[in-house]
Amino acid sequence: MNAVSIGFVCPACKGVLMEERDGLRCSACGERFPYLITGAIPNLTFPKQLPRETARHRQHFDDLSERYNNSIARLLQSNEVVFRRTLVQLLKLKPRSHVLEVGVGTGSNLPYIFESAEGVTVDGIDLSPRMVELCARHYLAQRQSPRLAVANAEYLPYPDEAFDAVLHFGFINEFDSPARGIAEMVRVVKPGGRVVISDDGIPSYLRGLPWAKALISANPSFGFDPPLDLLPASIANLEVRWFANVFYIISFSKTSSDSGGGGHL
């Protein structure tokens, strides 16, 4: 058996993963991670027993997977292409950039990432196995395709400073520990690299309006503030914006290799 060369590490201990017939095994702690049925896509979920709410959210997105793209399209209407291009433009990608999308879903952002600069490569993880399977199926015959894994954003299966940019859209409000998730995204990006985080959110001064109350009643996540208090000290060029008054977008650059600062884990 040989150490895998695709850049994954053990999400439990960051040890080297070894390839086995039906999955990966950590050479340091012995944890085993099976492949999904759809191709050699590793299920690197950690902890194996997810917190109850996290497990519930995983099941929710598995159940929603076939309808997810349509639900986002209905929310954004004619603004969807502009929104996704805005997220990618904020990454400020250069030729041959290596990008991680945390919460890749069915891959709706990937065309915009791949077209943004020459030779861009992408890793994509999602907590929902069904979302990852749909993404893999869509990109099976494409000229450009992401390297995919099922993984928990709060325990990313990558070494420190592995990526030039990290993008996350759509779920950080529901993380068991948003602070840990943000710290992980910062950990795996290189100094000088970009991080873009976006999720449901209505500006506070609009939340009293009837349409905003209705959205927040249907999904309390729309009443969340951007998690600025959880950002680490080692960042620069922080920008916060709102898109269509229903999503916040946080973008910043990492200034040093010290990703240990930040919110309370």
Side-chain angles (χ1 to χ4, degrees):
M1 292 183 295
N2 297 315
V4 297
S5 61
I6 56 176
F8 294 125
V9 298
C10 175
C13 74
K14 302 301 183 287
V16 174
L17 292 177
M18 309 291 287
E19 195 167 20
E20 298 185 327
R21 185 177 63 181
D22 57 353
L24 305 176
R25 177 181 59 82
C26 179
S27 60
C29 70
E31 282 278 2
R32 282 182 162 82
F33 303 94
Y35 289 131
L36 297 186
I37 295 173
T38 305
I41 299 172
N43 186 342
L44 298 169
T45 303
F46 184 83
K48 297 293 182 69
Q49 187 69 39
L50 291 170
R52 178 180 296 181
E53 277 299 292
T54 305
R56 185 180 70 81
H57 288 308
R58 166 184 266 181
Q59 186 61 55
H60 170 73
F61 280 99
D62 276 347
D63 296 341
L64 183 65
S65 58
E66 298 281 358
R67 309 186 307 277
Y68 179 73
N69 289 349
N70 288 337
S71 66
I72 295 296
R74 284 196 303 271
L75 185 61
L76 285 167
Q77 299 180 358
S78 61
N79 292 318
E80 182 175 6
V81 171
V82 175
F83 175 67
R84 295 190 186 281
R85 284 194 169 136
T86 297
L87 293 179
V88 173
Q89 287 168 359
L90 288 169
L91 294 174
K92 300 182 180 180
L93 299 179
K94 299 176 181 178
R96 293 173 294 284
S97 291
H98 191 183
V99 182
L100 172 64
E101 183 168 11
V102 176
V104 68
T106 61
S108 296
N109 290 322
L110 295 177
Y112 306 102
I113 296 174
F114 283 128
E115 75 180 17
S116 64
E118 182 180 358
V120 169
T121 56
V122 183
D123 275 55
I125 66 105
D126 203 285
L127 188 62
S128 162
R130 183 62 180 151
M131 289 279 203
V132 172
E133 287 175 343
L134 288 175
C135 185
R137 185 187 307 168
H138 179 75
Y139 278 90
L140 193 61
Q142 301 289 330
R143 184 175 63 86
Q144 292 174 298
S145 60
R147 299 185 294 186
L148 298 171
V150 176
N152 185 348
E154 297 171 44
Y155 297 89
L156 292 175
Y158 300 100
D160 295 353
E161 301 177 2
F163 297 95
D164 299 294
V166 177
L167 171 63
H168 171 71
F169 163 60
F171 193 63
I172 197 165
N173 290 347
E174 309 298 340
F175 281 7
D176 184 56
S177 172
R180 182 182 291 278
I182 291 171
E184 279 289 272
M185 292 182 225
V186 174
R187 178 182 67 79
V188 301
V189 78
K190 299 174 183 176
R194 299 280 295 168
V195 178
V196 175
I197 298 170
S198 179
D199 203 350
D200 306 333
I202 296 171
S204 57
Y205 64 89
L206 296 177
R207 292 175 193 166
L209 298 179
W211 67 266
K213 288 182 176 180
L215 265 183
I216 294 169
S217 177
N219 181 355
S221 182
F222 282 101
F224 282 43
D225 293 319
L228 302 179
D229 58 324
L230 303 181
L231 300 180
S234 55
I235 66 169
N237 306 312
L238 173 64
E239 182 180 354
V240 182
R241 63 174 71 183
W242 303 85
F243 191 90
N245 288 323
V246 292
F247 293 115
Y248 63 75
I249 306 174
I250 303 169
S251 60
F252 57 86
S253 303
K254 179 176 174 178
T255 58
S256 74
S257 60
D258 178 16
S259 59
H264 303 290
L265 302 182

